Amino acid sequence: MTTVNRRIVLAARPHGEPNASHFRLEEARMPVAKDGEVLLANRYLSLDPYMRGRMSAAKSYAEPVAIGDTMVGATVSEIVASNHPDFPVGETVVGFGGWQDFAVSDGRGLRRLDPAAAPVTTALGILGMPGMTAYTGLLNIGQPKAGETVVVAAATGPVGSLVGQIAKRKGARAVGIAGGPEKCAYLRDTLGFDAAIDHRAEDFPEALAAACPNGIDVYFENVGGAVFDAVLPLLNTFARLPVCGLVSAYNATELPAEPDRVPLLMRAILSKRLHLQGFIVWDFAAQEQGFLDEVGGWLRDGVVVHREDIVDGLENAPDAFAGLLKGRNFGKLIVRVS
């Protein structure tokens, strides 16, 4: 076994879009598992929009990555050495090994995977944090009902794609917003959305309104910006808005140079009695097993579909991550580490 551990560390905090200068690929000695620990060989690394926030020193729900520290991230890993009684060598687990070849864990936060039950990469997507985000946010906050219209932004991503499919299972109309004709065709033809709207089209607001003739009852927010501007006037009275992400603003360096829109939003919240709630997936941690059982069953039965976008090589993670924030990926973005 190699004695070298490649890792990607945060080299500088971005002001605007992250690029190669904000990361550094280092080689260090491979860590050693002590008593009560396991050594993980990371096979797959999840890349997710929340990582942009962890690169910033701004106060948030989680501590920022320190300059010089390994970038955080969920991983599917093989246990290659163990001094832990509950995790033998050879098991495959999902945990938070970060952007590196090897990591040490004391077992907390590790979940065993059964490769015979589902491909292990699903633990980073539809059966992982993104899938649970869609499931818990939509069902707890969105609460879709039969006949209602559910709109989701970034609809071909791992969160949005499952939001729409769950909405359909609840008897609602699913309208997806995505970037480009190929992604919109995938929403309609493969995922079964009732309508798909290209946010890059010049007539995007008009097309969205035409796709929602009875207004919007649930809007699952992943994007913000111009997409939310088009959604806001279409919201029905008592509409519910789970706010999961605002990826359009993650690289912003200043507020938009336009009139203050807060009064408009607040008036809509008041007059339409909107339920707008931000959430982090682990607010609903107690529901994890229920999510795994239900969505895992749907996946095995073929009633939900997922898509992965796999990039080879740990060294390519920074470029892939920068592309994620621009919508370059198509499906759940994963790095095949080794």
Side-chain angles (χ1 to χ4, degrees):
M1 181 183 296
T2 180
T3 59
V4 174
N5 181 32
R6 297 179 307 154
R7 61 187 185 188
I8 294 178
V9 304
L10 181 64
R13 300 202 185 280
H15 183 70
E17 296 182 4
N19 57 49
S21 70
H22 300 118
F23 303 93
R24 184 171 64 249
L25 179 62
E26 296 183 342
E27 290 189 353
R29 291 185 62 83
M30 189 173 66
V32 176
K34 300 176 184 177
D35 287 345
E37 294 181 336
V38 295
L39 177 63
L40 305 174
N42 297 328
R43 303 306 186 199
Y44 296 96
L45 165 68
S46 177
L47 295 182
D48 300 283
Y50 79 84
M51 295 171 176
R52 178 60 182 85
R54 301 294 294 274
M55 298 176 73
S56 169
K59 187 175 181 179
S60 185
Y61 63 88
E63 290 295 319
V65 176
I67 299 297
D69 278 3
T70 304
M71 282 292 296
V72 296
T75 53
V76 167
S77 312
E78 179 186 352
I79 297 176
V80 292
S82 178
N83 291 313
H84 195 298
D86 298 331
F87 292 99
V89 170
E91 281 199 326
T92 300
V93 295
V94 61
F96 287 87
W99 295 29
Q100 55 187 341
D101 288 324
F102 296 93
V104 165
S105 170
D106 63 5
R108 288 179 293 182
L110 296 184
R111 174 165 61 88
R112 293 178 182 82
L113 301 178
D114 179 3
V120 295
T121 51
T122 59
L124 302 176
I126 191 170
L127 296 181
M129 180 273 290
M132 186 170 165
T133 298
Y135 179 89
T136 58
L138 182 63
L139 297 183
N140 287 284
I141 303 170
Q143 300 181 11
K145 301 172 182 62
E148 291 189 328
T149 295
V150 175
V151 175
V152 58
T156 60
V159 175
S161 60
L162 186 56
V163 165
Q165 292 180 86
I166 296 174
K168 292 290 292 181
R169 293 190 63 79
K170 296 298 180 180
R173 291 185 69 246
V175 177
I177 300 172
E182 183 182 8
K183 290 183 177 180
C184 287
Y186 174 75
L187 290 175
R188 292 188 301 267
D189 301 340
T190 302
L191 299 186
F193 278 56
D194 296 283
I197 313 300
D198 185 352
H199 67 80
R200 297 174 182 167
E202 291 185 3
D203 65 343
F204 165 62
E206 294 79 11
L208 181 62
C212 305
N214 298 318
I216 297 172
D217 300 292
V218 180
Y219 173 56
F220 198 103
E221 178 65 286
N222 290 314
V223 173
V227 172
F228 182 73
D229 288 345
V231 166
L232 182 59
L234 304 177
L235 293 171
N236 288 332
T237 302
F238 301 115
R240 289 84 68 195
L241 289 78
V243 179
C244 166
L246 298 167
V247 71
S248 69
Y250 287 172
N251 289 330
T253 58
E254 58 186 14
L255 293 175
E258 58 186 35
D260 183 2
R261 305 294 297 279
V262 173
L264 177 65
L265 173 61
M266 295 303 291
R267 181 176 179 178
I269 291 172
L270 173 61
S271 62
K272 294 185 176 182
R273 286 83 88 200
L274 303 178
H275 177 190
L276 186 151
Q277 181 178 336
F279 76 101
I280 305 301
V281 62
W282 301 120
D283 295 342
F284 304 107
Q287 299 175 21
E288 183 177 23
Q289 192 56 55
F291 150 71
L292 290 170
D293 291 343
E294 187 161 28
V295 178
W298 293 343
L299 187 62
R300 286 190 297 273
D301 294 342
V303 297
V304 294
V305 178
H306 73 110
R307 178 178 177 130
E308 297 174 344
D309 189 341
I310 297 182
V311 173
D312 282 306
L314 178 66
E315 67 278 5
N316 294 317
D319 179 66
F321 176 67
L324 170 69
L325 298 176
K326 298 177 181 179
R328 195 170 68 198
N329 61 299
F330 193 167
K332 174 69 193 98
L333 185 59
I334 295 171
V335 174
R336 185 184 285 112
V337 178
S338 60

